[in-house]
Amino acid sequence: MSPGRCRVFALVRDPHERLEVVTTLGATDLALSDELVEALNGYLSDQGDPILGTVLDRAPNPVRMAVRQYLQGRPAPELGTFTPYGPVGIVRDAVYFGGIDTELEEYLDGAYVIGLGIRMSNERRADGNVGWVLQLRDDEVSVPASAEPRTWALPADVKLLSTWTSQQPLGGLGPLHSALEAAEDASEEGRWVRVHTLLHSDRDEDYEGNGTSEFVVDVFDAPIPLREPDE
């Protein structure tokens, strides 16, 4: 931003971060800059979002053309990797635990309390023992009230057997403990299990409404995957 213009960039991670120019607003259109950035981020997190079109209708023709040309043909971001504020960052890429125990629960509880996104899945080591690998993210991704409670895309080649969410507590246990119970039970049956968190909004039209932070446990009709030797 400068007194005479505002240049809008896209932050691309592939996997290294770089900037790509999207468009430039002149001095007479600077008031649109914040709205345009917010609308672009909203579009990337939900490509059905109509707000971007409304903002572009008020922008000069060169800006409209530049934005539409930039977005044309771009695939939707992977589920759970974007919010209306921008891309979700990785805080810890992979943390390994040998089993579901007090240490793991305390680690997840700390991440959950401060609002980090959590992804966790089971793995079988070469010696046959099963452990859990975790990824921590700098934000929980929101889903609208009526949407499927999931921000981690399902694998295309594996059948989903069941999904449990912390809206269905087990025996009066809290959301985290219930999620770990559900995950451990399925893992002991030899199933591949994935656990993640999300923010479930109470609205469909506004992702920024009130919501509840939830755990999701997906159980697949597949054996526990082998841990890669170099991990």
Side-chain angles (χ1 to χ4, degrees):
M1 177 78 76
S2 70
R5 68 175 184 172
C6 172
R7 201 162 216 191
V8 178
F9 294 87
L11 173 62
V12 180
R13 292 172 171 165
D14 60 353
H16 303 293
E17 292 187 353
R18 59 187 172 85
L19 294 176
E20 290 183 353
V21 177
V22 178
T23 190
T24 301
L25 292 95
T28 59
D29 303 299
L30 291 181
L32 275 177
S33 57
D34 288 343
E35 288 183 72
L36 178 59
V37 170
E38 184 176 352
L40 283 165
N41 282 331
Y43 177 83
L44 290 174
S45 65
D46 175 15
Q47 295 207 0
D49 190 342
I51 296 176
L52 178 59
T54 302
V55 175
L56 289 180
D57 286 344
R58 295 158 50 206
N61 191 53
V63 171
R64 289 198 298 271
M65 291 178 61
V67 169
R68 286 170 177 155
Q69 182 177 4
Y70 184 82
L71 295 176
Q72 186 176 10
R74 287 192 172 273
E78 180 186 342
L79 183 67
T81 62
F82 223 90
T83 75
Y85 300 108
V88 176
I90 307 300
V91 177
R92 294 291 301 273
D93 187 53
V95 183
Y96 190 81
F97 285 85
I100 292 180
D101 54 18
T102 302
E103 182 184 9
L104 171 58
E105 186 166 355
E106 289 178 350
Y107 188 89
L108 289 176
D109 185 58
Y112 186 59
V113 165
I114 63 175
L116 297 181
I118 296 169
R119 289 187 175 186
M120 181 175 85
S121 62
N122 57 349
E123 294 183 340
R124 188 177 299 279
R125 299 198 302 259
D127 61 7
N129 292 325
V130 174
W132 296 84
V133 61
L134 279 69
Q135 182 185 88
L136 298 182
R137 302 174 150 231
D138 64 14
D139 200 1
E140 286 185 337
V141 177
S142 175
V143 297
S146 63
E148 183 180 24
R150 177 172 290 107
T151 58
W152 193 354
L154 295 173
D157 55 347
V158 178
K159 180 183 178 181
L160 177 67
L161 284 180
S162 65
T163 296
W164 173 93
T165 78
S166 50
Q167 293 285 40
Q168 307 154 345
L170 301 177
L173 302 175
L176 171 57
H177 199 86
S178 293
L180 293 179
E181 287 273 343
E184 187 171 34
D185 288 348
S187 183
E188 288 179 349
E189 295 177 356
R191 304 289 188 183
W192 180 24
V193 182
R194 295 196 322 191
V195 181
H196 73 283
T197 57
L198 54 83
L199 183 65
H200 208 156
S201 175
D202 62 354
R203 306 180 188 179
D204 277 334
E205 73 280 0
D206 181 5
Y207 282 35
E208 302 312 310
N210 294 322
T212 57
S213 183
E214 298 177 12
F215 280 87
V216 178
V217 180
D218 287 324
V219 180
F220 300 99
D221 186 17
I224 301 169
L226 287 174
R227 182 172 171 81
E228 294 295 332
D230 59 345
E231 291 184 350

